[in-house]
Amino acid sequence: MPRFIFSSRTLFLLLLCLALASCDNAEDETEQTDFDATPTEEQLAKFEANTTLTSDFGTPKADGTFNASLRTIFKGGFQDDAGNGYAFELGREGTAFSAVGGILEETDLGALPPTGFAAMSGPYEIHEAGKSDGVSREYGDVQSTRGRITLRADFTFGTLHGTDEVLTIDGTFSDKMVTGSAFFNKRAAALKGQVGASSAVGVFHGADDATAFVGGFLVER
């Protein structure tokens, strides 16, 4: 029967090889769970299969963030000189993404006229994060869309409508509080806001099988 005799040098080299192999395996495992690194095609497919996307309304805190459970990856908003406006936040934790938006608590656009209508124009912004689109958005990247929109407020019937090539607003209001729907590239979103005699502010959110998104607008006569 053959016998294997290890010298102390041979035993040392054997243990060193085993240690190095263990380190290599640890590095491979780290790469597979590092969401900030560029994933391989196989890893990307696994990430996207496990992705969850949620959106909601919330009340922004003083620093512009919300009581979200995911870490902030992007936040912002808009506020005029009178303190009227909105805030939003995108969050992420691993393969989970969230979008939250809300009207600033100090927003007050004044009383509504009983009848008539007004055309109001101004900027809007929309931000989204989630899966890659295979062209311009990589997995987890924040993609932003900005434009201008004109909305028509009908004070007699309590409606707020307007559209451009990207965004459509379809809202109703009673006692100046706006509710309804928004459509971002034909993707449905929930809408809430406020309207006054000469301006309107709104925020909207949505999620589909690709991204979670949030946006807002402030338009004036």
Side-chain angles (χ1 to χ4, degrees), residues 78-112:
F78 185 85
Q79 186 176 37
D80 66 14
D81 293 339
N84 306 308
Y86 60 86
F88 59 83
E89 180 179 17
L90 291 174
R92 177 186 181 187
E93 197 65 51
T95 57
F97 296 86
S98 67
V100 185
I103 302 298
L104 300 179
E105 286 191 292
E106 58 266 38
T107 295
D108 185 356
L109 301 183
L112 291 177

Side-chain angles (χ1 to χ4, degrees), residues 107-129:
T107 295
D108 185 356
L109 301 183
L112 291 177
T115 60
F117 68 90
M120 307 173 184
S121 299
Y124 67 81
E125 58 183 312
I126 306 163
H127 309 278
E128 58 185 319

Side-chain angles (χ1 to χ4, degrees), residues 2-200:
R3 297 176 59 195
F4 297 96
I5 301 175
F6 293 100
S7 67
S8 58
R9 176 179 175 79
T10 302
L11 183 59
F12 171 77
L13 291 174
L14 179 60
L15 292 174
L16 180 60
C17 289
L18 290 173
L20 290 174
S22 175
C23 289
D24 288 342
N25 290 337
E27 289 176 359
D28 290 343
E29 186 176 350
T30 301
E31 290 173 359
Q32 291 171 2
T33 58
D34 184 1
F35 295 102
D36 294 325
T38 301
T40 65
E41 289 187 10
E42 182 180 355
Q43 291 167 352
L44 179 59
K46 185 179 296 185
F47 292 168
E48 296 198 338
N50 294 324
T51 293
T52 59
L53 302 158
T54 60
S55 66
D56 203 355
F57 291 120
T59 301
K61 297 184 289 187
D63 63 355
T65 62
F66 298 78
N67 293 319
S69 60
L70 307 184
R71 66 180 178 88
T72 302
I73 59 172
F74 191 74
K75 68 176 183 176
F78 185 85
Q79 186 176 37
D80 66 14
D81 293 339
N84 306 308
Y86 60 86
F88 59 83
E89 180 179 17
L90 291 174
R92 177 186 181 187
E93 197 65 51
T95 57
F97 296 86
S98 67
V100 185
I103 302 298
L104 300 179
E105 286 191 292
E106 58 266 38
T107 295
D108 185 356
L109 301 183
L112 291 177
T115 60
F117 68 90
M120 307 173 184
S121 299
Y124 67 81
E125 58 183 312
I126 306 163
H127 309 278
E128 58 185 319
K131 300 179 181 180
S132 67
D133 63 1
V135 180
S136 59
R137 185 182 63 249
E138 294 185 1
Y139 186 86
D141 281 355
V142 176
Q143 188 171 19
S144 300
T145 302
R146 293 179 173 85
R148 290 186 64 84
I149 194 168
T150 298
L151 302 180
R152 176 187 169 100
D154 188 323
F155 303 114
T156 304
F157 295 99
T159 59
L160 183 68
H161 294 293
T163 187
D164 71 350
E165 295 180 356
V166 175
L167 177 64
T168 297
I169 299 298
D170 184 11
T172 60
F173 56 88
S174 175
D175 191 23
K176 73 185 179 182
M177 303 308 295
V178 177
T179 58
S181 301
F183 298 88
F184 166 44
N185 287 330
K186 300 182 180 179
R187 299 155 63 190
L191 167 71
K192 69 185 304 184
Q194 191 179 130
V195 63
S198 59
S199 60

